[in-house]
Amino acid sequence: MEKEFTFETDYDISALSAMARALRKTVRKKQSRRSRIFGWTVAVLGILTTAALGINVVTLTAIVILVLFLLFEDRMNGYMAKKRVLPGTEHCRCQFYQDKFLSVTKVGKTEFRYDRIKYVAEDQRYFLFVLSNSHAQAYDKKRLTGGDAGEFRSFIEDRTGLKVIPVSGRF
């Protein structure tokens, strides 16, 4: 069984933020949209209340914090995920074969079948696999061997039967 592609990925804030964005734009899409609408509505109502009744430091602070969370949600989720990364899993080497892919960290090796992938997403730097509502994997395009990003995109679409979803941008 010959390997097709290999990725080396460091699970840093950038990769974890991309994973959070992929989850938010795929399996959590409806929930995320409702939460964002609610959050922006509360922020606007807070601003209108502050404008009508005068500046209240507590209300203004809450509005600023809410807006920052809305704007930097993926980055903050990436930061929180970084705190929960198991020691030894910060770096991953993943090898893709025709019938499976193998993930190797200092902790051990894990073999996956392509049918476990719910969504395949892509941003400027990573390919992202969404496995469940709270689990994703990132693969750094800059550290891809065995082909280029276009070839891997075709390979993974063929193996999974899923179309790659672009998830770049903040919103």
Side-chain angles (χ1 to χ4, degrees):
M1 183 177 341
E2 194 171 311
K3 70 180 172 192
E4 302 281 334
F5 298 94
T6 301
F7 285 90
E8 297 274 342
T9 303
D10 292 317
Y11 282 93
D12 54 12
I13 299 291
S14 177
L16 295 167
S17 297
M19 290 164 53
R21 184 172 35 263
L23 287 167
R24 179 173 57 82
K25 290 189 171 192
T26 57
V27 292
R28 299 178 183 168
K29 191 173 188 169
K30 287 181 183 179
Q31 174 189 351
S32 177
R33 185 178 299 132
R34 285 190 297 262
S35 297
R36 286 177 167 270
I37 290 169
F38 179 74
W40 284 111
T41 301
V42 169
V44 168
L45 289 174
I47 291 168
L48 293 174
T49 302
T50 301
L53 302 176
I55 294 177
N56 178 328
V57 177
V58 175
T59 304
L60 194 57
T61 303
I63 293 168
V64 169
I65 291 170
L66 176 60
V67 169
L68 288 174
F69 269 94
L70 288 168
L71 292 175
F72 300 105
E73 174 185 2
D74 298 326
R75 190 92 174 145
M76 285 186 242
N77 283 332
Y79 176 77
M80 297 306 288
K82 181 70 175 163
K83 294 203 164 279
R84 295 186 308 213
V85 169
L86 296 173
T89 61
E90 302 90 353
H91 177 80
C92 178
R93 177 181 174 86
C94 195
Q95 299 168 331
F96 289 83
Y97 301 91
Q98 284 294 320
D99 60 338
K100 65 183 178 188
F101 58 107
L102 181 67
S103 179
V104 181
T105 65
K106 287 181 183 177
V107 174
K109 297 179 183 181
T110 307
E111 190 175 295
F112 296 93
R113 294 184 329 268
Y114 292 110
D115 64 354
R116 293 217 29 222
I117 302 169
K118 286 186 171 186
Y119 294 94
V120 179
E122 178 181 14
D123 71 4
Q124 227 175 359
R125 183 167 172 192
Y126 299 98
F127 282 103
L128 304 143
F129 293 176
V130 175
L131 304 175
S132 71
N133 285 358
S134 57
H135 292 91
Q137 297 172 337
Y139 300 101
D140 193 342
K141 292 182 197 177
K142 292 179 182 177
R143 297 172 68 192
L144 164 64
T145 57
D148 62 19
E151 291 170 330
F152 180 76
R153 187 179 308 106
S154 296
F155 170 82
I156 204 65
E157 286 180 341
D158 181 55
R159 297 288 76 187
T160 62
L162 302 169
K163 191 82 173 139
V164 174
I165 301 167
V167 292
S168 57
R170 192 174 291 169
F171 302 102

